[in-house]
């Protein structure tokens, strides 16, 4: 993996901005820059579109004139963009080290081994569902097995569809989104069980009948949303009961149950946009988004639920030096850091995504 060239390491802030804008202007309609909501402000200011991973991937593919899609996000997001893009479009990730710890918790070899074990135990009663925050290989696996993807916005509708297909769901890779969504649908915790990929087995718990299991939850999580706790909620309410607690469903079960509201990134954004002046919010999600919301809505009191910073560290590997580097290489006719998904994986990933879109 190439390291950042020295000539991009020590520029002034104004110089980074000037040269990035110059490269954007030169490339014109050949370029579209996508910026995820969790991206730092100094980078997202250059994005042509902002959004979550799937929305951005679809927007990138829709820009038919754009030869280059530069995705300021993480690796799995760029894979999804390449999956949906046309054959002529080139998808670029400014820093190839920008991965996702949650997506990496579901390794394709481990998932295939788990599937063999689980289908031997439960028979043909399982359908796989993967959160879009997963690798292209996992999306393709799900597609081959007749399953689908989901987002945090549509997880409820997708699980409802999945239960119409089979008795049980294998939910990948975030156990918390799976548990919180299923519980909201009326499925009790005693009908959920966790698959531990490190041990290659179900985590058995007392008073659980395997015959009654409906949700098999992959033992994965988001490192950012794991940092929010019930104690933080208690502290805010003790300091000022007027604060409403708004969290993402990637938070653990107890936090979601104690919060006033929970929902996707888009739900969080729209809730704040519609909230009245003077309202007070403690938000449990990535810090860059919370700070941006606070800046955009000074009429409200918006704070991070945690007392410590909660950035997506891998997302933050995308910075101005790396963005400038890949853009100036495009100007020179030398695309670097291309994310390319093979044709078979694209085919089956699209099957999983299109099932979700149909739902």
């Amino acid at each position: 993996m190439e390291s950042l060239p020295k000539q991009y390491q020590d520029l002034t802030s104004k110089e980074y901005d000037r040269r990035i804008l110059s490269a954007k202007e030169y490339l014109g309609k050949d370029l579209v820059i996508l910026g995820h909501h969790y991206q730092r402000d100094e980078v997202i200011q250059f994005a042509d579109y902002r959004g979550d991973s799937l929305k951005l991937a679809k927007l990138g593919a829709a820009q038919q004139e754009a030869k280059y899609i530069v995705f300021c996000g993480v690796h799995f997001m760029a894979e999804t963009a390449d999956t949906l893009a046309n054959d002529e479009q080139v998808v670029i990730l400014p820093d190839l080290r920008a991965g996702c710890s949650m997506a990496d918790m579901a390794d394709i070899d481990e998932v295939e081994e788990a599937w063999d074990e689980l289908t031997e135990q439960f028979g043909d009663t399982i359908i796989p569902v993967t959160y879009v925050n997963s690798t292209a290989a996992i999306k393709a696996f799900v597609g081959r097995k007749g399953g689908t993807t989901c987002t945090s916005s549509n997880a409820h509708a997708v699980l409802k569809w999945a239960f119409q297909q089979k008795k049980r769901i294998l939910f990948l890779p975030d156990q918390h989104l799976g548990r919180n969504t299923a519980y909201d649908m009326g499925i009790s915790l005693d009908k959920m069980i966790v698959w531990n990929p490190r041990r290659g087995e179900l985590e058995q718990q007392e008073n659980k009948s395997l015959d009654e299991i409906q949700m098999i939850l992959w033992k994965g999580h988001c490192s950012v949303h794991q940092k929010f706790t019930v104690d933080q909620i208690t502290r805010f309410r003790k300091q000022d009961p007027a604060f409403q607690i708004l969290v993402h469903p990637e938070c653990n079960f107890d936090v979601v149950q104690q919060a006033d509201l929970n929902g996707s990134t888009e739900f969080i954004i729209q809730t704040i946009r519609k909230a009245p002046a003077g309202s007070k919010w403690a938000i449990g999600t990535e810090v860059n988004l919370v700070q941006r919301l606070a800046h955009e809505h000074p009429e409200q009191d918006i704070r991070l639920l945690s007392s410590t910073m909660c950035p997506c560290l891998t997302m933050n590997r995308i910075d101005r030096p790396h963005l400038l580097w890949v853009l100036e290489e495009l100007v020179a006719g030398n695309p670097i850091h291309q994310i390319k998904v093979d044709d078979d994986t694209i085919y089956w990933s699209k099957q999983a995504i299109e099932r979700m879109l149909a739902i």
Side-chain angles (χ1 to χ4, degrees):
M1 190 178 297
E2 298 174 273
S3 58
L4 182 70
K6 191 173 189 330
Q7 65 263 33
Y8 292 105
Q9 295 178 16
D10 299 310
L11 302 177
T12 65
S13 180
K14 288 184 178 180
E15 187 68 3
Y16 281 123
D17 290 352
R18 184 190 67 78
R19 286 172 61 175
I20 289 171
L21 289 170
S22 177
K24 276 195 70 175
E25 183 178 1
Y26 179 88
L27 292 164
K29 291 183 179 180
D30 285 345
L31 170 72
V32 61
I33 298 178
L34 309 177
H36 190 270
H37 285 308
Y38 295 171
Q39 191 53 257
R40 60 176 83 195
D41 285 342
E42 67 185 55
V43 170
I44 207 168
Q45 66 175 318
F46 301 110
D48 298 299
Y49 298 98
R50 302 180 186 185
D52 60 24
S53 60
L54 184 63
K55 175 183 176 181
L56 289 174
K58 291 165 69 177
L59 283 168
Q63 311 310 305
Q64 294 294 310
E65 290 183 311
K67 296 179 183 178
Y68 307 113
I69 300 171
V70 175
F71 208 130
C72 296
V74 296
H75 195 275
F76 81 80
M77 300 177 187
E79 284 187 331
T80 305
D82 188 60
T83 297
L84 298 182
N86 66 48
D87 292 340
E88 285 71 43
Q89 290 177 307
V90 174
V91 177
I92 290 168
L93 186 67
D95 189 340
L96 294 177
R97 300 172 305 160
C100 170
S101 59
M102 179 205 293
D104 292 342
M105 289 176 192
D107 173 79
I108 185 59
D109 292 334
E110 292 177 341
V111 171
E112 288 176 342
E113 290 173 10
W115 183 258
D116 291 342
E117 291 281 341
L118 291 168
T119 52
E120 184 176 338
Q121 184 161 1
F122 293 104
D124 185 25
T125 65
I126 309 171
I127 187 169
V129 173
T130 187
Y131 194 16
V132 291
N133 295 27
S134 55
T135 65
I138 298 303
K139 292 184 180 74
F141 169 86
V142 168
R144 288 189 190 97
K145 301 299 181 182
T148 183
T149 57
C150 77
T151 67
S152 50
S153 297
N154 66 23
H156 188 288
V158 168
L159 292 196
K160 182 179 179 181
W161 172 87
F163 279 126
Q164 291 170 351
Q165 316 306 310
K166 296 288 178 71
K167 178 181 178 179
R168 299 179 175 90
I169 293 172
L170 170 62
F171 192 89
L172 302 151
D174 178 31
Q175 61 173 311
H176 301 301
L177 178 62
R179 181 180 294 108
N180 290 323
T181 304
Y183 188 83
D184 284 347
M185 296 172 63
I187 297 173
S188 60
L189 295 180
D190 62 355
K191 293 183 179 179
M192 306 184 205
I193 199 164
V194 174
W195 175 269
N196 187 326
R198 299 292 172 259
R199 297 211 302 259
E201 62 184 15
L202 294 168
E203 291 190 344
Q204 290 282 9
Q205 298 177 15
E206 293 182 10
N207 303 320
K208 286 195 176 182
S209 166
L210 290 184
D211 289 340
E212 298 300 315
I213 292 299
Q214 292 180 263
M215 289 290 292
I216 303 168
L217 305 165
W218 192 265
K219 194 171 186 178
H221 62 267
C222 170
S223 58
V224 172
H225 291 104
Q226 283 283 98
K227 296 177 181 177
F228 299 107
T229 66
V230 172
D231 286 345
Q232 294 164 0
I233 295 175
T234 302
R235 186 187 72 248
F236 258 98
R237 286 181 172 151
K238 185 176 181 180
Q239 290 176 350
D240 187 344
F243 269 94
Q244 296 181 75
I245 311 299
L246 173 59
V247 303
H248 196 283
E250 289 175 21
C251 294
N252 71 45
F253 179 78
D254 291 338
V255 169
V256 170
Q257 290 303 303
Q258 289 294 319
D260 297 298
L261 294 168
N262 77 90
S264 67
T265 299
E266 191 61 29
F267 174 84
I268 291 171
I269 293 170
Q270 293 303 324
T271 297
I272 296 302
R273 284 178 179 170
K274 295 173 184 176
S279 57
K280 298 183 177 183
W281 299 92
I283 304 179
T285 194
E286 206 274 345
V287 63
N288 283 314
L289 174 59
V290 177
Q291 290 179 338
R292 190 171 303 125
L293 288 171
H295 175 74
E296 292 173 351
H297 298 276
E299 77 283 1
Q300 301 175 45
D301 188 347
I302 297 171
R303 305 186 195 181
L304 184 69
L305 178 59
S306 172
S307 58
T308 57
M309 298 288 279
C310 292
C312 178
L313 296 176
T314 51
M315 180 83 69
N316 279 356
R317 284 177 172 152
I318 306 296
D319 55 15
R320 281 181 297 182
H322 284 86
L323 178 58
L324 176 60
W325 180 24
V326 298
L327 290 181
E328 291 194 336
E329 289 293 335
L330 288 179
V331 169
N334 177 39
I336 60 171
H337 298 180
Q338 181 177 358
I339 302 299
K340 185 62 180 170
V341 181
D342 67 86
D343 291 343
D344 185 65
T345 301
I346 284 177
Y347 176 82
W348 288 109
S349 295
K350 277 187 175 178
Q351 294 292 307
I353 293 170
E354 287 170 1
R355 286 188 192 115
M356 175 186 70
L357 297 177
I359 295 167

